[in-house]
């Protein structure tokens, strides 16, 4: 059975290994540099930020956008970045189709020395690629966007051949694919009230399929909701702790802050950001646990 002490010990061990590696090198680069320097196995597209995480239901020309960083490759070895999409409606998902290709010219050197660039796509482009007529979709539908990095030697890297350590909640945080839902105007956050099902939790407090209660408390603010800790088996203060999520009603982006430290045997503050489905009530977050782990994917769908 998983315990926090085991997990915390793992992070201490990992930190010690990284510290020793940094002491043996004059390279003052980030953890990403150390990881990539020791491997020639492949390449990843690390998520730096989701700039616009939803499509505008009323404006098909508005774009979904993210900033990605290529690791394990440089601009001269990248042939192209391909974007594929599929479509989910009434619980059924279509086959994916290619939407567009991005030239390596979108990249420039980022702070870590790796190629970094913005990728964007409009709803109109996705609809055209999937053969969906304008107006034949509903606000409850969603699109899956999958990126593939193609190198000049012919190798390709995507969610299809990436390991869980790459696509999940590790520092690399390279899922290669993203759920793009619709943005609908919000009067308040009351849509985010009820029981939710866990789709993914990289921090592993919950398993896929577990239930997490979410509640909108108007006194917190009109565009806020609480993700309660009631069903969290790994903390002591389940009755009083929660994550307060604050939504930007202009675009559906969200920030996260725990109301108090989560008691895992040691106090851990939880922060983060992400997007929410303002039409569906779904929740897509990336959580940081008080310096112990960052970019921990946490995805919930409303029951």
């Amino acid at each position: 059975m998983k315990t926090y002490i085991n997990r915390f010990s793992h992070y201490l061990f990992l930190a010690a290994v990284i510290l020793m590696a940094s002491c043996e090198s004059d390279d003052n680069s980030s953890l990403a540099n150390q990881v990539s320097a020791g491997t020639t196995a492949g390449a990843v597209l690390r998520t730096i930020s989701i700039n616009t995480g939803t499509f505008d239901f009323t404006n098909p020309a508005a774009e979904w956008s993210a900033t990605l960083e290529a690791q394990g490759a440089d601009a001269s070895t990248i042939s192209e970045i391909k974007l594929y999409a599929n479509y989910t409606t009434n619980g059924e998902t279509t086959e994916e189709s290619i939407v567009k290709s991005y030239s390596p010219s979108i990249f420039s050197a980022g702070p870590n020395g790796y190629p970094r660039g913005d990728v964007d796509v409009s709803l109109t482009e996705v609809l055209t690629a999937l053969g969906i007529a304008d107006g034949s979709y509903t606000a409850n539908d969603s699109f899956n966007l999958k990126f593939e990095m193609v190198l000049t030697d012919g190798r390709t890297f995507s969610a299809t051949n990436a390991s869980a350590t790459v696509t999940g909640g590790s520092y690399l945080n390279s899922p290669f694919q993203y759920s793009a839902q619709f943005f609908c105007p919000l009067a308040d956050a009351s849509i985010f009230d009820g029981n939710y099902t866990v789709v993914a939790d990289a921090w592993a407090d919950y398993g896929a399929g577990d239930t997490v209660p979410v509640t909108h408390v108007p006194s917190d603010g009109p565009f806020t909701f609480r993700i309660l800790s009631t069903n969290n088996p790994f903390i002591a203060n389940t009755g009083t702790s929660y994550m307060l999520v604050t939504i930007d009603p202009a675009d559906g982006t969200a920030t996260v802050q725990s109301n108090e430290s989560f008691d895992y045997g040691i106090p851990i503050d939880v922060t983060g950001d992400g997007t929410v489905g303002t039409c569906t009530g779904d929740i897509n977050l990336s959580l940081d646990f008080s310096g112990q782990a960052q970019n921990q994917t946490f995805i919930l769908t409303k029951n």
Side-chain angles (χ1 to χ4, degrees):
M1 182 177 185
K2 185 194 75 172
T3 65
Y4 179 75
I5 296 299
N6 288 340
R7 183 202 289 161
F8 186 56
S9 298
H10 169 74
Y11 283 116
L12 288 177
F13 174 75
L14 179 60
V17 170
I18 293 168
L19 179 61
M20 287 187 292
S22 64
C23 291
E24 293 171 357
S25 172
D26 291 330
D27 183 5
N28 292 320
S29 59
S30 68
L31 171 60
N33 289 340
Q34 296 176 33
V35 171
S36 295
T39 179
T40 56
V44 301
L45 284 173
R46 179 183 167 219
T47 306
I48 300 301
S49 63
I50 303 297
N51 306 320
T52 305
T54 57
F55 285 129
D56 189 332
F57 187 74
T58 61
N59 180 16
E63 294 180 322
W64 179 96
S65 174
T67 300
L68 305 179
E69 184 176 79
Q71 298 186 7
D74 56 49
S76 66
T77 61
I78 299 173
S79 174
E80 61 179 330
I81 306 296
K82 292 182 177 179
L83 171 62
Y84 298 84
N86 58 26
Y87 167 62
T88 299
T89 181
N90 297 322
E92 297 184 1
T93 301
T94 66
E95 294 293 324
E96 67 181 19
S97 299
I98 188 164
V99 178
K100 63 193 300 186
S101 174
Y102 304 87
S103 162
S105 63
I106 67 169
F107 293 110
S108 58
N112 298 326
Y114 293 109
R116 182 177 291 192
D118 294 336
V119 290
D120 50 53
V121 62
S122 70
L123 176 59
T124 297
E125 291 175 299
V126 174
L127 294 173
T128 299
L130 293 173
I132 299 171
D134 188 18
S136 65
Y137 46 85
T138 73
N140 291 323
D141 298 337
S142 64
F143 300 86
N144 185 63
L145 307 177
K146 187 183 82 174
F147 290 90
E148 179 183 69
M149 178 156 53
V150 182
L151 302 187
T152 53
D153 63 8
R155 290 182 297 159
T156 62
F157 298 94
S158 70
T160 304
N161 58 6
S163 69
T165 2
V166 170
T167 60
S170 67
Y171 173 82
L172 289 175
N173 188 25
S174 180
F176 283 101
Q177 56 186 348
Y178 308 88
S179 176
Q181 301 179 22
F182 284 115
F183 173 78
C184 295
L186 288 176
D188 56 38
S190 56
I191 188 176
F192 301 94
D193 195 290
N195 286 328
Y196 278 71
T197 298
V198 176
V199 176
D201 178 17
W203 183 243
D205 277 346
Y206 305 97
D210 285 351
T211 298
V212 174
V214 174
T215 183
H216 168 57
V217 179
S219 59
D220 289 338
F223 299 106
T224 63
F225 60 87
R226 300 179 183 184
I227 301 177
L228 304 182
S229 302
T230 310
N231 296 339
N232 190 325
F234 297 108
I235 64 175
N237 55 337
T238 56
T240 60
S241 65
Y242 56 84
M243 289 180 276
L244 182 67
V245 180
T246 302
I247 306 166
D248 183 341
D251 60 8
T253 57
T255 57
V256 184
Q257 176 67 62
S258 58
N259 70 312
E260 63 187 39
S261 299
F262 282 22
D263 183 1
Y264 288 97
I266 62 171
I268 297 291
D269 294 326
V270 185
T271 58
D273 55 27
T275 62
V276 294
T278 56
C279 303
T280 63
D282 291 347
I283 300 168
N284 300 275
L285 302 175
S286 178
L287 302 177
D288 296 343
F289 288 83
S290 196
Q292 305 304 318
Q294 290 74 49
N295 299 321
Q296 301 291 292
T297 300
F298 191 49
I299 300 175
L300 305 174
T301 58
K302 192 173 183 181
N303 292 354

